[in-house]
Amino acid sequence: MRPRTIVGIAAVLVLVAATLAGAIAVQRQEDRKSETQQQLVLREVAGNLQAELVQTLGTVESAGVVMRSNTAGERAYFAGLAELALRRKGLVSLSWMPRITEGARAGFERRLRQPLWNVDLLARRSRVGRPGAGPYFPIAWIYPTNRQGVVGFDSSSNVLVGDAFQRAAISGTTALSPPVPAGLRSTATQAAVFHPVYRVGMPHATEPQRRRALVGLVGASVRVDRLRSVTEASRLGLRVSDDGAVLAGPAQPSGSQTVSERLRVGSREWALSAPVPPAPQKNVLIVVMIGLGVSGLMALIVWQSARKERYALDLVQTRLAERDTAERELSRERDYSRTMVEALQDGLLVVDHDLVVVEANERFCAMIGAERSEVIGAQAPLPGWLGGSADERSVAAAAFERAHETTAGFETELSLHRPERRPVWVIMTAAPLHDESGASNGHMISFKDISARRLAEEALAAQASTDHLTGLANHRTFHDRLAAAVDEAHLEGEPLSLVVVDLDHFKAVNDEHGHMAGDETLREVARRLRGVARRGDTLARVGGEEFGWLLPGIDAEGALMAAERARLAICREPVAGVGTVTISAGVCAFDQGPTAADLYRLADGALYWAKAHGRNQCCQYTPEVVQALSAEEHAGRLERRQTITTIRALARAVDAKDASTRRHSERVADLSAKIARALGWSSDRIELLHGAALVHDVGKIGVPDAVLFKPGPLTKGEYEQIVSHASLGAQIVSGALSEEQGRWVRGHHERWDGGGYPDGLAGMNVPEGARILALADSWDVMTVARNYSAPRTLADASGECEHESGRQFWPDAVTALLRMIDDGEVVIPTGDDPSAVSTPLP
């Protein structure tokens, strides 16, 4: 048996095994699905039951509020309340049980003409052990019987009911008894509810104080079997029990697997359980049938393959002999062609229809500084072939693509080089190659070296654009680049700043030391300016002792800092033969001067302002330098400031609703500013982000507290109320903050993957400030204790942020946060005060 046949048989066996494994996996998945569905039904019924019991206890407590406000006997009002309360399904009676002391007992019995016969479990005992007197808790009013007078109540007649009565009277909270039979011959079950009522204004701190303040109890009887949720549970076959006593459903759930839920109401624990129904077998049978079918097909293929294998082997032997003959002929032809190619003075490439190099001469390999073995078989162009700037590399790559597509010939100029070598400028010429049928099967590309000509041209261009004294760009070149940079800033929306520098008292240098020393001073100043400039900046000598410095991608504050570094670099060390030289500088940003002429004029104005105020300083142009604010502008700023103060007060009020969210907005604002600074934001924009973050949650003022602090799952309507706070907050701040700040507030719950709200934005469509706010807000929620969750450790919170990077959070912001954590700039608050600020404002 051949190895190929053995492999086929093994593949069939593997398919059979995979079929069995797949069937088992599908069955397990169906079982988990069935269990999950039954668990969801059980949780829904449990939630309904808890809500129904809480509402019933709330009705009894409402009656207690009535009696607390007027214990003298609002009988008619109590009767009305009882009539409304008894409409609730399951509540069968409501009664008032006043507290009667031993001294008031006799008068109470005479007035109502019947005795009190119970001795309450709460009765005190004297020091010698004799039973104490009272108090008594007769049932004075009971509804719906409407009987007048007093009905005796013995709390010891039923241990379960008496226990609930005692817990309510002693603990001061509403107590629910276990369900008990309604009568000897009745199958109905009912539970007793007791709610203590105290005198208004009396302290309830200790048990003796509660005893003295207790004026009575409101009692009620609840038919458990009439509760909608219990009826629904019984209909669905669910088992409902209280401390093991079955209230509804089967006594023992059928099936080998069950799911359960527990709930606690009125200090009682109720349990719900249900069997997990068996999962359907349909999908398992489908998997088995498909697997067996594929296995049979594979077996048939193996049999056919084994039969044809011998025939194929014979045919291969014949073809191999023919190929050996053809290869020998081809080798002779290639040797002849290679000799001709190597004799050429130009570089030469032969590529196939996929731009894969099939031939290259030594002249071309020398041009790019590569071995021939590296070139043959590679796809042109290799990354190392294309040098220069990104634009130059793009042009060269496009040239190779056009050469590949040409059908009639193509010629262009481009540079070839590896990063560590000087570029070689060539004229690239391409011509198509054809096979016997006339179809194109590749191209021949030649490269003529024109580097010497290009170097001469570049030298002439440099002389025309360079200041001969300092080696910097000259006046014309600077203004051409300034105009181009302004146009690009308009197009890209990127910052741009201009610094105009002038030597102080340069005329005195020429007068005292001569023009040769003055020229040397200009060359030294130019050298020091180059030392502080970035790659990509434009430095030029635009006048006698005046220099222009163009800083793309830098705002006004960054440009002012760069100008200050230049000033210090020049004045810190004296110039040889001259002494200390100082400069004055004017700075203006593109947002102040929207055209090239305006930008230069305003920077020049700031320069002369610096000279007029003492020299040896740097001045940033602002409108306040040349014009003060009008009275109307002052009034407008004051009004906006007052509005912002009001909004921040609302935001603090929202945070103060819950002790766990106190100073939440301040912590989010501080961390947002920290992340923004790490991402390279300017100080002005960081201040705008900090202000927006302080009021990012102001929209929660419109969300009810019951929804905002609900510990359990939210309904659809409640979730919509929560979601609305982001858009409401943006509306509230729209008149006080900028439009961009409003977008940050509106989008602080958007997600990077598009799963957020209110607009479902994704990726770069989410405003950058909103992406930072979202991360800072989530970090504070994770690291500060809440009513519904404990705070996470630094490692856990960091891991969660890293896990959600690219999904919930913007990856760049997560990277900045993790870097600050590693540097110790972000810590989790310690101590008992959850409002401690976790990050200082940078």
Side-chain angles (χ1 to χ4, degrees):
M1 188 178 294
R2 297 184 178 275
R4 187 174 178 181
T5 304
I6 295 174
V7 171
I9 295 173
V12 172
L13 295 177
V14 169
L15 279 174
V16 173
T19 299
L20 296 177
I24 294 172
V26 169
Q27 181 61 47
R28 289 179 178 176
Q29 183 178 5
E30 292 294 334
D31 290 342
R32 287 195 296 270
K33 181 178 178 182
S34 179
E35 180 181 352
T36 301
Q37 291 175 345
Q38 188 71 325
Q39 186 74 50
L40 290 175
V41 171
L42 198 63
R43 288 180 179 173
E44 181 179 3
V45 173
N48 294 338
L49 177 58
Q50 184 167 22
E52 198 169 358
L53 289 172
V54 169
Q55 289 175 351
T56 302
L57 297 183
T59 301
V60 177
E61 291 172 357
S62 298
V65 172
V66 171
M67 300 312 297
R68 184 185 300 113
S69 61
N70 190 353
T71 56
E74 289 282 355
R75 184 185 184 93
Y77 190 84
F78 187 86
L81 178 64
E83 182 179 355
L84 292 175
L86 292 174
R87 294 178 184 176
R88 183 175 301 283
K89 195 171 184 67
L91 195 62
V92 296
S93 70
L94 193 68
S95 60
W96 168 240
M97 304 164 63
R99 180 177 182 271
I100 306 300
T101 63
E102 179 66 23
R105 172 177 179 175
F108 193 81
E109 290 177 341
R110 286 194 302 271
R111 186 170 75 254
L112 299 178
R113 299 179 180 176
Q114 51 184 304
L116 303 179
W117 46 266
N118 74 311
V119 178
D120 190 73
L121 294 176
L122 299 176
R124 298 183 301 275
R125 293 183 177 274
S126 65
R127 293 183 178 177
V128 297
R130 297 191 302 272
Y136 307 100
F137 295 85
I139 301 176
W141 308 332
I142 186 168
Y143 298 90
T145 59
N146 293 322
R147 287 190 295 167
Q148 301 289 334
V150 179
V151 178
F153 172 72
D154 186 358
S155 60
S156 62
S157 61
N158 186 295
V159 174
L160 300 178
V161 174
D163 176 67
F165 174 84
Q166 187 175 21
R167 280 188 284 110
I170 293 176
S171 66
T173 59
T174 304
L176 176 70
S177 77
V180 297
L184 295 177
R185 299 182 179 181
S186 173
T187 59
T189 56
Q190 61 185 33
V193 182
F194 297 100
H195 174 69
V197 178
Y198 298 93
R199 288 195 297 275
V200 176
M202 291 301 292
H204 304 154
T206 63
E207 182 178 336
Q209 289 175 327
R210 287 198 297 271
R211 287 179 180 274
R212 292 191 296 271
L214 186 66
V215 297
L217 294 95
V218 174
S221 180
V222 181
R223 277 286 297 274
V224 176
D225 55 323
R226 291 184 182 177
L227 295 176
R228 294 187 188 92
S229 1
V230 174
T231 305
E232 178 69 9
S234 181
R235 184 182 67 80
L236 294 174
L238 310 180
R239 181 173 179 264
V240 183
S241 62
D242 176 5
D243 284 349
V246 179
L247 307 177
Q252 290 294 335
S254 59
S256 60
Q257 186 177 6
T258 61
V259 292
S260 62
E261 283 289 327
R262 294 185 179 275
L263 55 95
R264 193 169 186 84
V265 178
S267 72
R268 302 298 307 167
E269 185 175 89
W270 292 42
L272 287 83
S273 59
V276 177
Q281 303 293 323
K282 178 181 177 181
N283 293 337
V284 179
L285 294 176
I286 292 174
V287 170
V288 172
M289 292 175 63
I290 292 174
L292 294 178
V294 173
S295 301
L297 180 61
M298 177 61 74
L300 179 62
I301 292 173
V302 171
W303 178 73
Q304 289 286 351
S305 177
R307 191 170 63 88
K308 295 178 179 179
E309 187 173 2
R310 179 169 294 280
Y311 173 77
L313 287 174
D314 295 339
L315 184 61
V316 166
Q317 294 294 333
T318 302
R319 293 290 185 268
L320 286 175
E322 295 174 353
R323 190 184 71 177
D324 289 342
T325 302
E327 283 182 350
R328 285 192 296 271
E329 293 293 330
L330 181 60
S331 178
R332 284 194 295 269
E333 291 181 6
R334 283 179 176 174
D335 291 341
Y336 177 73
S337 299
R338 184 175 296 111
T339 302
M340 294 181 62
V341 167
E342 294 300 336
L344 296 175
Q345 295 300 311
D346 296 336
L348 186 67
L349 278 184
V350 178
V351 298
D352 64 11
H353 59 277
D354 292 323
L355 269 180
V356 174
V357 179
V358 297
E359 187 59 75
N361 67 357
E362 292 297 336
R363 176 59 178 160
F364 175 79
C365 295
M367 285 181 177
I368 65 171
E371 297 293 333
R372 188 169 178 273
S373 59
E374 298 178 61
V375 179
I376 301 297
Q379 188 170 30
L382 289 173
W385 301 3
L386 307 181
S389 66
D391 291 339
E392 290 174 332
R393 290 195 298 272
S394 177
V395 170
F400 271 91
E401 188 63 30
R402 289 184 61 188
H404 172 242
E405 295 173 353
T406 186
T407 58
F410 168 72
E411 182 175 293
T412 188
E413 290 187 12
L414 74 157
S415 66
L416 300 175
H417 79 137
R418 283 187 172 182
E420 66 275 10
R421 300 172 64 93
R422 293 187 61 183
V424 178
W425 281 93
V426 298
I427 296 178
M428 171 179 166
T429 305
L433 299 174
H434 304 281
D435 58 16
E436 294 82 357
S437 64
S440 175
N441 62 356
H443 289 79
M444 179 177 290
I445 307 174
S446 65
F447 303 87
K448 184 176 184 60
D449 189 346
I450 58 170
S451 299
R453 190 193 78 188
R454 287 299 296 253
L455 288 174
E457 292 174 351
E458 290 174 359
L460 290 174
Q463 291 177 7
S465 62
T466 304
D467 175 61
H468 71 281
L469 180 63
T470 62
L472 301 179
N474 59 22
H475 180 276
R476 186 186 68 182
T477 303
F478 176 77
H479 283 281
D480 289 344
R481 293 181 184 178
L482 174 61
V486 169
D487 291 341
E488 185 176 356
H490 274 295
L491 182 64
E492 301 295 336
E494 295 293 331
L496 172 68
S497 296
L498 172 63
V499 179
V500 179
V501 177
D502 191 85
L503 271 68
D504 297 329
H505 304 296
F506 184 69
K507 184 176 182 300
V509 174
N510 283 328
D511 293 343
E512 294 178 14
H513 304 283
H515 288 283
M516 293 185 64
D519 291 346
E520 185 60 36
T521 300
L522 289 174
R523 281 192 287 268
E524 179 62 19
V525 169
R527 186 187 67 79
R528 297 185 188 184
L529 287 175
R530 282 196 197 96
V532 297
R534 304 171 305 158
R535 179 178 295 180
D537 291 353
T538 296
L539 270 174
R541 182 186 177 198
V542 295
E545 66 270 20
E546 188 172 299
F547 299 85
W549 184 5
L550 194 59
L551 296 98
I554 300 295
D555 59 11
E557 183 179 352
L560 183 62
M561 295 172 63
E564 184 64 21
R565 288 196 299 271
R567 185 188 68 81
L568 294 174
I570 291 171
C571 71
R572 184 177 291 126
E573 296 182 7
V575 176
V578 174
T580 300
V581 177
T582 64
I583 63 169
S584 298
V587 179
C588 184
F590 164 69
D591 54 358
Q592 297 285 357
T595 67
D598 289 338
L599 185 59
Y600 192 89
R601 176 176 55 82
L602 296 177
D604 198 52
L607 166 65
Y608 281 98
W609 189 96
K611 282 185 170 292
H613 288 77
R615 291 184 173 83
N616 193 22
Q617 60 180 301
C618 303
C619 172
Q620 175 187 343
Y621 171 81
T622 61
E624 289 79 6
V625 172
V626 296
Q627 181 180 0
L629 287 175
S630 66
E632 292 79 10
E633 289 172 324
H634 273 301
R637 284 192 174 184
L638 179 61
E639 182 180 354
R640 287 194 297 273
R641 188 179 299 114
Q642 291 172 342
T643 302
I644 292 173
T645 300
T646 302
I647 293 173
R648 287 181 179 173
L650 287 175
R652 284 195 295 272
V654 171
D655 288 349
K657 286 184 178 183
D658 184 4
S660 65
T661 61
R662 191 169 70 250
R663 295 189 66 192
H664 164 71
S665 295
E666 295 176 36
R667 292 193 300 273
V668 171
D670 291 346
L671 183 55
S672 297
K674 192 82 170 179
I675 295 173
R677 181 169 294 279
L679 291 172
W681 279 37
S682 66
S683 297
D684 292 341
R685 286 179 58 75
I686 290 174
E687 184 176 356
L688 291 176
L689 179 60
H690 189 271
L694 285 174
V695 296
H696 75 283
D697 268 345
V698 70
K700 288 183 179 179
I701 199 73
V703 181
D705 290 353
V707 176
L708 194 60
F709 303 114
K710 183 176 181 181
L714 298 175
T715 64
K716 181 179 180 181
E718 291 170 340
Y719 177 75
E720 292 175 353
Q721 288 180 303
I722 290 291
V723 168
S724 68
H725 87 272
S727 55
L728 176 60
Q731 294 175 14
I732 292 174
V733 305
S734 61
L737 302 183
S738 68
E739 183 179 353
E740 185 179 35
Q741 287 175 300
R743 290 196 299 270
W744 295 343
V745 172
R746 180 181 180 88
H748 76 275
H749 276 295
E750 300 288 358
R751 291 171 55 104
W752 182 256
D753 59 8
Y757 62 82
D759 302 315
L761 302 178
M764 301 303 290
N765 291 327
V766 182
E768 187 173 351
R771 298 176 226 156
I772 297 174
L773 264 177
L775 176 59
D777 184 64
S778 298
W779 177 266
D780 191 74
V781 171
M782 287 189 288
T783 58
V784 176
R786 300 299 173 104
N787 291 333
Y788 50 85
S789 67
R792 295 195 181 191
T793 64
L794 186 65
D796 288 345
S798 302
E800 181 66 16
C801 292
E802 189 172 8
H803 178 265
E804 290 297 319
S805 177
R807 293 192 287 188
Q808 181 177 354
F809 303 128
W810 180 29
D812 290 356
V814 173
T815 300
L817 176 61
L818 295 178
R819 186 167 59 249
M820 289 188 294
I821 292 172
D822 292 340
D823 295 340
E825 298 177 38
V826 176
V827 297
I828 292 181
T830 57
D832 297 328
D833 181 12
S835 66
V837 179
S838 60
T839 58
L841 178 63

